[in-house]
Amino acid sequence: MMEAKLETEVSKYMSYVLRHAPEAVGLTLDAEGWVSFDAFEQALTSKYDVSRADIVGIIENSPKKRFALVEGRIRANQGHSVGVDLDLEPTDPPAILFHGTSRASWPAIEREGLQKMERHHVHLSADIDTAKIVATRRKGDYIILRIDAARMFSEGHSFFVSDNGVWLAESVPVQYLSLNAGTP
Ligand code: HQG
């Protein structure tokens, strides 16, 4: 068993490499974000004192299932800033989705809607608790936004869901957004 602190550090580094900077360890992702697990293992074990089994353990224990390991290849399930096409199928969303963010962002969001910023999509969740967890990672006060996904979908916007259950959209125009009642 790995020490929890090391496990968290390695997991964060895995996200960094697979979502944002594969070239930092000399890796190149394919068009859909996959890379050979052997090469990935080598890159990690040259930096951290971890075994292949430790890395597999991190993938399996990740509470958010951040990584997929399939047929000798690994990728991040979502959250990329590098150019990948996850090849997700458009999917009917639940009626309501949520997004947690900092209160300081609200004036800009109210003007422009939710934008994908550095990522490929805006990230949304089906439950408030997940939105709260995302929001509280930000500095200062947070807000929870409620997205009228049913109306947005019926008016022609596509939604996707990642393998680990994150709802994704190109953007959320402001007419579909409201501050969730009862949250700060
Ligand atoms: C904000 C975690 C001003 C947006 C979570 C957010 C998530 C605007 C920030 C994943 C804006 C972008 C992603 C606008 C959006 N004006 N601010 N018009 N539109 N924003 O990190 O959703 O733990 O790219 O509200 O679970 O915070 O990494 O997105 O605050 O799924 O696996 O711009 O990160 O997953 O920040 O988090 P991010 P996010 P992991």
Side-chain angles (χ1 to χ4, degrees), residues 19 64 66 78 99 101 105 108-109 112-115 117 119 123 134 137-138 166:
R19 293 171 176 178
K64 289 182 60 186
R66 291 189 174 89
Q78 35 74 222
H99 177 89
T101 189
S105 301
I109 293 172
E112 307 158 3
L114 281 174
Q115 302 293 332
M117 313 307 268
R119 307 205 192 227
H123 287 217
V134 177
R137 298 190 316 181
R138 311 246 156 231
V166 178

Side-chain angles (χ1 to χ4, degrees), residues 48-123:
Y48 292 102
D49 183 17
V50 293
S51 66
R52 188 178 180 95
D54 289 335
I55 301 169
V56 172
I58 290 174
I59 297 165
E60 285 172 354
N61 296 337
S62 168
K64 289 182 60 186
K65 295 203 185 68
R66 291 189 174 89
F67 314 104
L69 176 58
V70 180
E71 292 170 1
R73 300 185 307 166
I74 184 169
R75 78 172 179 186
N77 277 326
Q78 35 74 222
H80 298 79
S81 60
V82 294
V84 298
D85 175 3
L86 294 175
D87 202 23
L88 301 171
E89 290 292 322
T91 307
D92 290 20
I96 304 291
L97 287 166
F98 300 94
H99 177 89
T101 189
S102 62
R103 181 174 294 282
S105 301
W106 177 238
I109 293 172
E110 210 176 7
R111 265 197 318 274
E112 307 158 3
L114 281 174
Q115 302 293 332
K116 55 193 176 177
M117 313 307 268
E118 302 299 316
R119 307 205 192 227
H120 291 283
H121 298 96
V122 174
H123 287 217

Side-chain angles (χ1 to χ4, degrees), residues 158-173:
S158 296
F159 288 82
F160 306 87
V161 60
S162 70
D163 289 349
N164 58 336
V166 178
W167 284 90
L168 305 166
E170 269 294 303
S171 67
V172 180

